[in-house]
Amino acid sequence: MAQQPVAVVCVGMAGSGKTTFMQRINNYLHINKKKPYVLNLDPAVLNVPFEANIDIRDSINYKEVMKQYNLGPNGGILTSLNLFATKIDQIIGLLEKRAQPDPSSKAVPPQHFLVDTPGQIEVFVWSASGSILLESLASSFPTVIAYIIDTPRTHSCSTFMSNMLYACSILYKTKLPMILVFNKTDVQDADFAKDWMTDFEKFQEALQEEESKGVFGGEGHGGGSGYMSSLLNSMSLMLEEFYSHLEMVGVSSMTGEGIDEFFDAVERKADEFNRDYKPELERRIKERQQEKEGKKHEDLAKVMEDMKVGEKPKPKHKEQVGQRQDDDEDEEDEEDAREADEYADVRPDDDEALQRRYAEELRRQGLQTNESDRSFARYVAQSGPSAPR
């Protein structure tokens, strides 16, 4: 099986020499007969010093986007990327087709995809469209982030630490292997940066030297902001583990120095991607698919539950209701029978029998029968036919 091309995504702050670096590595691969496949994702650039196979400017008019949506420069770039991200399936399809060409065409597949991004780094790295583009690219090919740093501007401890923190945030946001590319080494050598990343004591010495010079706002001779010095010390300790996961190279986009070392680092990071990052990426993709499936089943269950509204009662329920009604009627019939029996006991057969029973009851209670009692018994006997049945 042929080795997959490695996608190199170049990101960096404005003025770091990112576009010039892209030109240099593109030229290096052409010279070495390793023609790359180049993508330009910067919609606002007027001219690029390299030929792009896929150019966002071919499908998105940056100025028209600004006019149509009434946006500023950064908003126009962000909206252009969002519109371009809607075609990501077509882009990945083209890259896959280019990576595995038809054998009959005798085309040589590229070993590298070079991706240039907007100078406004936060617009690409922290936007939804940037995440979509990176994740889609990484789901198909080994992908490496090349973070371009302006070496002369990073010579002070504070700006160096700011760049390291930014690199740290990009690494954990993209979750992709990263190479720190210290550019413009023809102006400022990058050995100091390598020393600061590998030797904490050397960074402390440089920090104390700057503090003594009043770089942090003092008059010298130990003056300056103690808070700033303490903060930089703490951050350097915190980033010590972060440095161990990075490749650091110094290059000059003008002279071509260090480009060999850069592509060696790319190969190592591509192996690291396949070994460590790809399984994690596949796990995240699988989790998202399972989450979507679970949401789909949940929505379907809600629909089915809503369809049950207004159903007629089950036949079993009807039988239970009818049975209760029959039981109630039986109880009423039994009560009527008991009342009829009681009335049957007191219904007189004749006058003498009623008087006798009445007299016995009075004697049992210790009472004497008199004429009024007899007349009352006689009244009851006379009213006998109207007694309830």
Side-chain angles (χ1 to χ4, degrees), residues 260-311:
D260 288 325
E261 289 80 0
F262 170 74
F263 279 103
D264 290 341
V266 167
E267 294 303 316
R268 290 192 294 271
K269 285 300 177 181
D271 294 337
E272 182 181 335
F273 175 89
N274 291 320
R275 184 183 67 249
D276 301 329
Y277 287 81
K278 189 176 181 179
E280 174 65 17
L281 179 63
E282 291 174 347
R283 184 188 66 80
R284 294 203 311 267
I285 292 173
K286 186 177 180 180
E287 284 182 355
R288 283 198 297 269
Q289 290 175 345
Q290 291 175 348
E291 185 178 348
K292 288 180 181 178
E293 288 295 325
K295 185 68 167 60
K296 187 186 298 182
H297 288 304
E298 183 180 345
D299 293 341
L300 180 60
K302 288 180 180 179
V303 171
M304 297 301 294
E305 186 68 24
D306 292 340
M307 290 174 65
K308 293 180 181 180
V309 176
E311 283 188 352

Tab-separated table of all heavy atoms in Angstrom, residues 260-311:
chain	number	residue	atom	x	y	z
A	260	ASP	N	15.724	21.270	5.275
A	260	ASP	CA	15.924	19.815	5.386
A	260	ASP	C	15.483	19.315	6.753
A	260	ASP	O	14.774	18.299	6.865
A	260	ASP	CB	17.401	19.462	5.155
A	260	ASP	CG	17.817	19.621	3.705
A	260	ASP	OD1	16.976	19.337	2.822
A	260	ASP	OD2	18.967	20.019	3.450
A	261	GLU	N	15.927	20.025	7.801
A	261	GLU	CA	15.542	19.634	9.162
A	261	GLU	C	14.031	19.725	9.362
A	261	GLU	O	13.449	18.910	10.083
A	261	GLU	CB	16.251	20.518	10.186
A	261	GLU	CG	17.751	20.271	10.322
A	261	GLU	CD	18.551	20.955	9.211
A	261	GLU	OE1	17.939	21.623	8.335
A	261	GLU	OE2	19.787	20.811	9.204
A	262	PHE	N	13.410	20.709	8.698
A	262	PHE	CA	11.962	20.844	8.836
A	262	PHE	C	11.240	19.618	8.283
A	262	PHE	O	10.332	19.071	8.935
A	262	PHE	CB	11.478	22.105	8.105
A	262	PHE	CG	9.977	22.192	7.999
A	262	PHE	CD1	9.195	22.512	9.108
A	262	PHE	CD2	9.332	21.930	6.785
A	262	PHE	CE1	7.810	22.584	9.014
A	262	PHE	CE2	7.951	22.005	6.680
A	262	PHE	CZ	7.191	22.325	7.796
A	263	PHE	N	11.616	19.141	7.095
A	263	PHE	CA	10.916	17.986	6.510
A	263	PHE	C	11.258	16.683	7.236
A	263	PHE	O	10.444	15.751	7.252
A	263	PHE	CB	11.224	17.894	5.013
A	263	PHE	CG	10.381	18.818	4.187
A	263	PHE	CD1	10.900	20.007	3.679
A	263	PHE	CD2	9.039	18.535	3.951
A	263	PHE	CE1	10.110	20.869	2.927
A	263	PHE	CE2	8.247	19.398	3.200
A	263	PHE	CZ	8.782	20.565	2.696
A	264	ASP	N	12.422	16.621	7.856
A	264	ASP	CA	12.713	15.474	8.730
A	264	ASP	C	11.747	15.463	9.917
A	264	ASP	O	11.245	14.405	10.313
A	264	ASP	CB	14.155	15.545	9.231
A	264	ASP	CG	15.175	15.275	8.120
A	264	ASP	OD1	14.774	14.685	7.090
A	264	ASP	OD2	16.358	15.670	8.288
A	265	ALA	N	11.516	16.655	10.456
A	265	ALA	CA	10.568	16.764	11.575
A	265	ALA	C	9.145	16.423	11.124
A	265	ALA	O	8.369	15.814	11.867
A	265	ALA	CB	10.617	18.176	12.164
A	266	VAL	N	8.798	16.798	9.886
A	266	VAL	CA	7.475	16.471	9.348
A	266	VAL	C	7.281	14.958	9.290
A	266	VAL	O	6.206	14.436	9.654
A	266	VAL	CB	7.291	17.105	7.952
A	266	VAL	CG1	6.058	16.516	7.259
A	266	VAL	CG2	7.162	18.613	8.056
A	267	GLU	N	8.304	14.233	8.841
A	267	GLU	CA	8.209	12.771	8.765
A	267	GLU	C	8.028	12.162	10.146
A	267	GLU	O	7.240	11.226	10.339
A	267	GLU	CB	9.460	12.192	8.082
A	267	GLU	CG	9.601	12.568	6.608
A	267	GLU	CD	8.385	12.151	5.800
A	267	GLU	OE1	7.899	11.019	5.993
A	267	GLU	OE2	7.919	12.951	4.965
A	268	ARG	N	8.758	12.679	11.129
A	268	ARG	CA	8.625	12.150	12.490
A	268	ARG	C	7.230	12.429	13.046
A	268	ARG	O	6.623	11.575	13.706
A	268	ARG	CB	9.696	12.754	13.398
A	268	ARG	CG	11.107	12.265	13.100
A	268	ARG	CD	12.077	12.654	14.204
A	268	ARG	NE	12.252	14.105	14.292
A	268	ARG	CZ	13.171	14.783	13.603
A	268	ARG	NH1	13.969	14.146	12.737
A	268	ARG	NH2	13.301	16.085	13.755
A	269	LYS	N	6.715	13.618	12.783
A	269	LYS	CA	5.383	13.967	13.279
A	269	LYS	C	4.286	13.199	12.547
A	269	LYS	O	3.239	12.910	13.129
A	269	LYS	CB	5.156	15.482	13.148
A	269	LYS	CG	5.896	16.308	14.184
A	269	LYS	CD	5.456	15.923	15.582
A	269	LYS	CE	6.213	16.681	16.644
A	269	LYS	NZ	5.800	16.302	18.023
A	270	ALA	N	4.520	12.853	11.285
A	270	ALA	CA	3.539	12.032	10.562
A	270	ALA	C	3.455	10.641	11.185
A	270	ALA	O	2.354	10.074	11.346
A	270	ALA	CB	3.929	11.941	9.092
A	271	ASP	N	4.606	10.079	11.556
A	271	ASP	CA	4.603	8.785	12.253
A	271	ASP	C	3.907	8.897	13.608
A	271	ASP	O	3.155	8.003	14.015
A	271	ASP	CB	6.035	8.287	12.443
A	271	ASP	CG	6.709	7.947	11.115
A	271	ASP	OD1	5.970	7.672	10.138
A	271	ASP	OD2	7.953	7.967	11.060
A	272	GLU	N	4.163	10.016	14.291
A	272	GLU	CA	3.507	10.234	15.582
A	272	GLU	C	1.994	10.371	15.418
A	272	GLU	O	1.219	9.885	16.252
A	272	GLU	CB	4.078	11.497	16.238
A	272	GLU	CG	3.510	11.790	17.608
A	272	GLU	CD	4.086	13.062	18.204
A	272	GLU	OE1	5.220	13.434	17.818
A	272	GLU	OE2	3.404	13.695	19.040
A	273	PHE	N	1.580	11.009	14.329
A	273	PHE	CA	0.148	11.147	14.061
A	273	PHE	C	-0.500	9.770	13.910
A	273	PHE	O	-1.550	9.490	14.505
A	273	PHE	CB	-0.071	11.972	12.794
A	273	PHE	CG	-1.511	12.065	12.360
A	273	PHE	CD1	-2.334	13.089	12.837
A	273	PHE	CD2	-2.058	11.128	11.488
A	273	PHE	CE1	-3.667	13.173	12.444
A	273	PHE	CE2	-3.381	11.214	11.087
A	273	PHE	CZ	-4.192	12.225	11.561
A	274	ASN	N	0.104	8.901	13.099
A	274	ASN	CA	-0.463	7.568	12.878
A	274	ASN	C	-0.430	6.719	14.140
A	274	ASN	O	-1.315	5.881	14.355
A	274	ASN	CB	0.292	6.851	11.751
A	274	ASN	CG	0.030	7.479	10.389
A	274	ASN	OD1	-1.093	7.873	10.090
A	274	ASN	ND2	1.071	7.586	9.570
A	275	ARG	N	0.563	6.935	14.983
A	275	ARG	CA	0.718	6.122	16.190
A	275	ARG	C	-0.153	6.604	17.351
A	275	ARG	O	-0.815	5.799	18.018
A	275	ARG	CB	2.195	6.119	16.612
A	275	ARG	CG	2.478	5.227	17.816
A	275	ARG	CD	3.936	5.314	18.234
A	275	ARG	NE	4.287	6.627	18.754
A	275	ARG	CZ	5.087	7.489	18.143
A	275	ARG	NH1	5.606	7.192	16.958
A	275	ARG	NH2	5.365	8.656	18.690
A	276	ASP	N	-0.191	7.926	17.563
A	276	ASP	CA	-0.849	8.450	18.760
A	276	ASP	C	-2.126	9.235	18.477
A	276	ASP	O	-3.117	9.081	19.198
A	276	ASP	CB	0.127	9.362	19.530
A	276	ASP	CG	1.390	8.620	19.948
A	276	ASP	OD1	1.283	7.399	20.182
A	276	ASP	OD2	2.457	9.242	20.032
A	277	TYR	N	-2.105	10.058	17.455
A	277	TYR	CA	-3.224	10.975	17.239
A	277	TYR	C	-4.379	10.326	16.471
A	277	TYR	O	-5.539	10.600	16.757
A	277	TYR	CB	-2.747	12.228	16.487
A	277	TYR	CG	-1.926	13.170	17.323
A	277	TYR	CD1	-0.577	12.947	17.554
A	277	TYR	CD2	-2.506	14.291	17.912
A	277	TYR	CE1	0.185	13.805	18.321
A	277	TYR	CE2	-1.752	15.163	18.680
A	277	TYR	CZ	-0.411	14.907	18.888
A	277	TYR	OH	0.321	15.767	19.675
A	278	LYS	N	-4.056	9.487	15.505
A	278	LYS	CA	-5.113	8.901	14.675
A	278	LYS	C	-6.084	8.045	15.480
A	278	LYS	O	-7.306	8.172	15.310
A	278	LYS	CB	-4.488	8.083	13.542
A	278	LYS	CG	-5.509	7.617	12.509
A	278	LYS	CD	-4.826	6.905	11.353
A	278	LYS	CE	-5.847	6.469	10.305
A	278	LYS	NZ	-5.188	5.793	9.164
A	279	PRO	N	-5.607	7.159	16.377
A	279	PRO	CA	-6.570	6.397	17.195
A	279	PRO	C	-7.486	7.293	18.029
A	279	PRO	O	-8.688	7.024	18.157
A	279	PRO	CB	-5.671	5.529	18.086
A	279	PRO	CG	-4.390	5.412	17.339
A	279	PRO	CD	-4.225	6.723	16.630
A	280	GLU	N	-6.930	8.371	18.581
A	280	GLU	CA	-7.754	9.302	19.363
A	280	GLU	C	-8.758	10.016	18.475
A	280	GLU	O	-9.922	10.209	18.856
A	280	GLU	CB	-6.843	10.323	20.056
A	280	GLU	CG	-7.568	11.427	20.795
A	280	GLU	CD	-8.372	10.927	21.977
A	280	GLU	OE1	-8.133	9.788	22.423
A	280	GLU	OE2	-9.257	11.665	22.462
A	281	LEU	N	-8.337	10.400	17.264
A	281	LEU	CA	-9.241	11.053	16.328
A	281	LEU	C	-10.376	10.114	15.919
A	281	LEU	O	-11.545	10.523	15.879
A	281	LEU	CB	-8.465	11.507	15.087
A	281	LEU	CG	-9.270	12.208	13.979
A	281	LEU	CD1	-9.859	13.510	14.499
A	281	LEU	CD2	-8.403	12.459	12.763
A	282	GLU	N	-10.050	8.858	15.640
A	282	GLU	CA	-11.078	7.886	15.273
A	282	GLU	C	-12.048	7.651	16.431
A	282	GLU	O	-13.251	7.454	16.222
A	282	GLU	CB	-10.419	6.570	14.847
A	282	GLU	CG	-9.671	6.675	13.517
A	282	GLU	CD	-8.912	5.407	13.185
A	282	GLU	OE1	-8.753	4.548	14.089
A	282	GLU	OE2	-8.463	5.270	12.027
A	283	ARG	N	-11.514	7.656	17.651
A	283	ARG	CA	-12.388	7.486	18.819
A	283	ARG	C	-13.360	8.648	18.947
A	283	ARG	O	-14.549	8.448	19.211
A	283	ARG	CB	-11.543	7.376	20.099
A	283	ARG	CG	-12.355	7.098	21.350
A	283	ARG	CD	-11.487	7.194	22.586
A	283	ARG	NE	-11.009	8.554	22.789
A	283	ARG	CZ	-11.742	9.522	23.329
A	283	ARG	NH1	-12.983	9.288	23.706
A	283	ARG	NH2	-11.240	10.726	23.482
A	284	ARG	N	-12.882	9.886	18.724
A	284	ARG	CA	-13.754	11.046	18.811
A	284	ARG	C	-14.822	11.020	17.719
A	284	ARG	O	-15.988	11.345	17.964
A	284	ARG	CB	-12.937	12.343	18.695
A	284	ARG	CG	-11.989	12.579	19.854
A	284	ARG	CD	-11.635	14.060	20.016
A	284	ARG	NE	-11.234	14.676	18.781
A	284	ARG	CZ	-9.969	14.774	18.354
A	284	ARG	NH1	-8.995	14.238	19.078
A	284	ARG	NH2	-9.673	15.381	17.219
A	285	ILE	N	-14.423	10.608	16.498
A	285	ILE	CA	-15.388	10.518	15.399
A	285	ILE	C	-16.459	9.469	15.727
A	285	ILE	O	-17.655	9.682	15.497
A	285	ILE	CB	-14.664	10.176	14.085
A	285	ILE	CG1	-13.776	11.345	13.648
A	285	ILE	CG2	-15.667	9.843	12.983
A	285	ILE	CD1	-12.900	11.043	12.449
A	286	LYS	N	-16.033	8.339	16.282
A	286	LYS	CA	-16.984	7.281	16.643
A	286	LYS	C	-17.937	7.751	17.733
A	286	LYS	O	-19.140	7.465	17.697
A	286	LYS	CB	-16.214	6.043	17.111
A	286	LYS	CG	-17.100	4.836	17.378
A	286	LYS	CD	-16.260	3.629	17.768
A	286	LYS	CE	-17.158	2.419	18.037
A	286	LYS	NZ	-16.352	1.230	18.418
A	287	GLU	N	-17.420	8.486	18.704
A	287	GLU	CA	-18.276	9.013	19.775
A	287	GLU	C	-19.313	9.973	19.219
A	287	GLU	O	-20.479	9.950	19.629
A	287	GLU	CB	-17.418	9.719	20.827
A	287	GLU	CG	-16.677	8.773	21.748
A	287	GLU	CD	-15.886	9.513	22.805
A	287	GLU	OE1	-15.853	10.778	22.748
A	287	GLU	OE2	-15.309	8.854	23.687
A	288	ARG	N	-18.902	10.838	18.284
A	288	ARG	CA	-19.852	11.769	17.679
A	288	ARG	C	-20.933	11.025	16.891
A	288	ARG	O	-22.106	11.396	16.930
A	288	ARG	CB	-19.121	12.764	16.770
A	288	ARG	CG	-18.400	13.863	17.525
A	288	ARG	CD	-18.076	15.038	16.613
A	288	ARG	NE	-17.171	14.667	15.557
A	288	ARG	CZ	-15.844	14.753	15.642
A	288	ARG	NH1	-15.282	15.178	16.757
A	288	ARG	NH2	-15.079	14.419	14.622
A	289	GLN	N	-20.536	9.970	16.178
A	289	GLN	CA	-21.522	9.189	15.437
A	289	GLN	C	-22.503	8.500	16.373
A	289	GLN	O	-23.716	8.469	16.109
A	289	GLN	CB	-20.801	8.152	14.555
A	289	GLN	CG	-20.033	8.761	13.389
A	289	GLN	CD	-19.252	7.719	12.622
A	289	GLN	OE1	-19.041	6.604	13.083
A	289	GLN	NE2	-18.792	8.101	11.419
A	290	GLN	N	-21.978	7.951	17.486
A	290	GLN	CA	-22.863	7.304	18.458
A	290	GLN	C	-23.805	8.318	19.105
A	290	GLN	O	-24.976	8.017	19.352
A	290	GLN	CB	-22.033	6.600	19.532
A	290	GLN	CG	-21.279	5.383	19.018
A	290	GLN	CD	-20.380	4.773	20.077
A	290	GLN	OE1	-20.124	5.365	21.131
A	290	GLN	NE2	-19.883	3.570	19.805
A	291	GLU	N	-23.275	9.511	19.357
A	291	GLU	CA	-24.114	10.558	19.933
A	291	GLU	C	-25.229	10.957	18.970
A	291	GLU	O	-26.374	11.150	19.381
A	291	GLU	CB	-23.246	11.769	20.277
A	291	GLU	CG	-23.991	12.887	20.986
A	291	GLU	CD	-23.084	14.044	21.338
A	291	GLU	OE1	-21.853	13.884	21.246
A	291	GLU	OE2	-23.601	15.112	21.712
A	292	LYS	N	-24.894	11.044	17.676
A	292	LYS	CA	-25.909	11.374	16.678
A	292	LYS	C	-26.962	10.280	16.588
A	292	LYS	O	-28.156	10.546	16.477
A	292	LYS	CB	-25.253	11.593	15.313
A	292	LYS	CG	-24.461	12.887	15.202
A	292	LYS	CD	-23.844	13.030	13.819
A	292	LYS	CE	-23.034	14.318	13.705
A	292	LYS	NZ	-22.391	14.433	12.366
A	293	GLU	N	-26.502	9.004	16.625
A	293	GLU	CA	-27.444	7.895	16.564
A	293	GLU	C	-28.353	7.893	17.787
A	293	GLU	O	-29.561	7.665	17.681
A	293	GLU	CB	-26.677	6.566	16.481
A	293	GLU	CG	-26.015	6.323	15.132
A	293	GLU	CD	-27.032	6.172	14.010
A	293	GLU	OE1	-28.120	5.618	14.266
A	293	GLU	OE2	-26.730	6.621	12.881
A	294	GLY	N	-27.757	8.145	18.964
A	294	GLY	CA	-28.563	8.205	20.176
A	294	GLY	C	-29.591	9.316	20.124
A	294	GLY	O	-30.750	9.137	20.540
A	295	LYS	N	-29.188	10.481	19.588
A	295	LYS	CA	-30.127	11.600	19.457
A	295	LYS	C	-31.243	11.251	18.470
A	295	LYS	O	-32.410	11.588	18.688
A	295	LYS	CB	-29.363	12.829	18.964
A	295	LYS	CG	-30.196	14.104	18.890
A	295	LYS	CD	-30.579	14.588	20.280
A	295	LYS	CE	-31.137	16.002	20.249
A	295	LYS	NZ	-32.333	16.148	19.433
A	296	LYS	N	-30.870	10.527	17.396
A	296	LYS	CA	-31.862	10.143	16.400
A	296	LYS	C	-32.891	9.186	17.021
A	296	LYS	O	-34.096	9.336	16.819
A	296	LYS	CB	-31.160	9.474	15.227
A	296	LYS	CG	-32.079	9.182	14.041
A	296	LYS	CD	-31.351	8.388	12.968
A	296	LYS	CE	-30.174	9.175	12.416
A	296	LYS	NZ	-29.483	8.415	11.330
A	297	HIS	N	-32.406	8.201	17.806
A	297	HIS	CA	-33.329	7.263	18.450
A	297	HIS	C	-34.204	7.974	19.482
A	297	HIS	O	-35.390	7.660	19.638
A	297	HIS	CB	-32.539	6.134	19.113
A	297	HIS	CG	-31.935	5.166	18.141
A	297	HIS	ND1	-32.674	4.486	17.200
A	297	HIS	CD2	-30.654	4.770	17.951
A	297	HIS	CE1	-31.885	3.704	16.483
A	297	HIS	NE2	-30.645	3.874	16.913
A	298	GLU	N	-33.606	8.932	20.186
A	298	GLU	CA	-34.378	9.684	21.183
A	298	GLU	C	-35.490	10.490	20.521
A	298	GLU	O	-36.633	10.514	21.001
A	298	GLU	CB	-33.432	10.614	21.951
A	298	GLU	CG	-34.115	11.392	23.065
A	298	GLU	CD	-33.142	12.300	23.791
A	298	GLU	OE1	-31.915	12.114	23.611
A	298	GLU	OE2	-33.596	13.177	24.545
A	299	ASP	N	-35.165	11.139	19.397
A	299	ASP	CA	-36.190	11.907	18.672
A	299	ASP	C	-37.288	10.986	18.140
A	299	ASP	O	-38.466	11.325	18.172
A	299	ASP	CB	-35.551	12.673	17.513
A	299	ASP	CG	-34.625	13.774	17.992
A	299	ASP	OD1	-34.756	14.173	19.167
A	299	ASP	OD2	-33.777	14.233	17.209
A	300	LEU	N	-36.881	9.796	17.652
A	300	LEU	CA	-37.868	8.849	17.137
A	300	LEU	C	-38.789	8.370	18.249
A	300	LEU	O	-40.004	8.234	18.061
A	300	LEU	CB	-37.147	7.665	16.490
A	300	LEU	CG	-38.047	6.566	15.892
A	300	LEU	CD1	-38.937	7.148	14.806
A	300	LEU	CD2	-37.199	5.425	15.351
A	301	ALA	N	-38.215	8.119	19.440
A	301	ALA	CA	-39.026	7.682	20.574
A	301	ALA	C	-40.043	8.754	20.972
A	301	ALA	O	-41.189	8.453	21.313
A	301	ALA	CB	-38.125	7.337	21.764
A	302	LYS	N	-39.613	10.031	20.901
A	302	LYS	CA	-40.536	11.115	21.232
A	302	LYS	C	-41.681	11.188	20.227
A	302	LYS	O	-42.835	11.414	20.595
A	302	LYS	CB	-39.775	12.449	21.259
A	302	LYS	CG	-38.844	12.608	22.450
A	302	LYS	CD	-38.141	13.955	22.405
A	302	LYS	CE	-37.216	14.128	23.596
A	302	LYS	NZ	-36.502	15.439	23.543
A	303	VAL	N	-41.352	10.986	18.943
A	303	VAL	CA	-42.387	10.998	17.913
A	303	VAL	C	-43.390	9.874	18.143
A	303	VAL	O	-44.605	10.066	18.058
A	303	VAL	CB	-41.746	10.881	16.514
A	303	VAL	CG1	-42.815	10.675	15.449
A	303	VAL	CG2	-40.939	12.130	16.191
A	304	MET	N	-42.877	8.682	18.447
A	304	MET	CA	-43.762	7.547	18.697
A	304	MET	C	-44.625	7.775	19.929
A	304	MET	O	-45.801	7.399	19.972
A	304	MET	CB	-42.924	6.273	18.873
A	304	MET	CG	-42.129	5.886	17.626
A	304	MET	SD	-43.182	5.600	16.186
A	304	MET	CE	-44.063	4.153	16.735
A	305	GLU	N	-44.059	8.425	20.931
A	305	GLU	CA	-44.825	8.727	22.146
A	305	GLU	C	-45.936	9.722	21.837
A	305	GLU	O	-47.056	9.605	22.338
A	305	GLU	CB	-43.882	9.282	23.220
A	305	GLU	CG	-44.547	9.506	24.576
A	305	GLU	CD	-44.945	8.208	25.244
A	305	GLU	OE1	-44.347	7.157	24.938
A	305	GLU	OE2	-45.881	8.242	26.070
A	306	ASP	N	-45.617	10.708	20.991
A	306	ASP	CA	-46.639	11.685	20.627
A	306	ASP	C	-47.769	11.042	19.825
A	306	ASP	O	-48.923	11.453	19.915
A	306	ASP	CB	-46.015	12.814	19.793
A	306	ASP	CG	-45.071	13.673	20.613
A	306	ASP	OD1	-45.192	13.633	21.854
A	306	ASP	OD2	-44.226	14.366	20.023
A	307	MET	N	-47.443	10.019	19.041
A	307	MET	CA	-48.469	9.353	18.240
A	307	MET	C	-49.454	8.562	19.092
A	307	MET	O	-50.557	8.233	18.644
A	307	MET	CB	-47.801	8.406	17.231
A	307	MET	CG	-47.052	9.133	16.121
A	307	MET	SD	-46.125	8.020	15.058
A	307	MET	CE	-47.476	7.095	14.328
A	308	LYS	N	-49.109	8.256	20.345
A	308	LYS	CA	-50.001	7.513	21.235
A	308	LYS	C	-51.078	8.396	21.856
A	308	LYS	O	-52.015	7.908	22.468
A	308	LYS	CB	-49.193	6.851	22.356
A	308	LYS	CG	-48.267	5.746	21.858
A	308	LYS	CD	-47.490	5.140	23.008
A	308	LYS	CE	-46.545	4.056	22.525
A	308	LYS	NZ	-45.779	3.469	23.642
A	309	VAL	N	-50.934	9.708	21.729
A	309	VAL	CA	-51.904	10.633	22.317
A	309	VAL	C	-53.251	10.460	21.635
A	309	VAL	O	-53.362	10.440	20.414
A	309	VAL	CB	-51.426	12.092	22.172
A	309	VAL	CG1	-52.484	13.053	22.703
A	309	VAL	CG2	-50.122	12.295	22.911
A	310	GLY	N	-54.368	10.321	22.430
A	310	GLY	CA	-55.714	10.217	21.883
A	310	GLY	C	-56.141	8.803	21.558
A	310	GLY	O	-57.186	8.589	20.951
A	311	GLU	N	-55.338	7.788	21.939
A	311	GLU	CA	-55.751	6.418	21.686
A	311	GLU	C	-56.947	6.046	22.554
A	311	GLU	O	-57.116	6.547	23.667
A	311	GLU	CB	-54.586	5.462	21.988
A	311	GLU	CG	-53.534	5.452	20.912
A	311	GLU	CD	-52.517	4.353	21.164
A	311	GLU	OE1	-52.599	3.753	22.254
A	311	GLU	OE2	-51.688	4.105	20.289
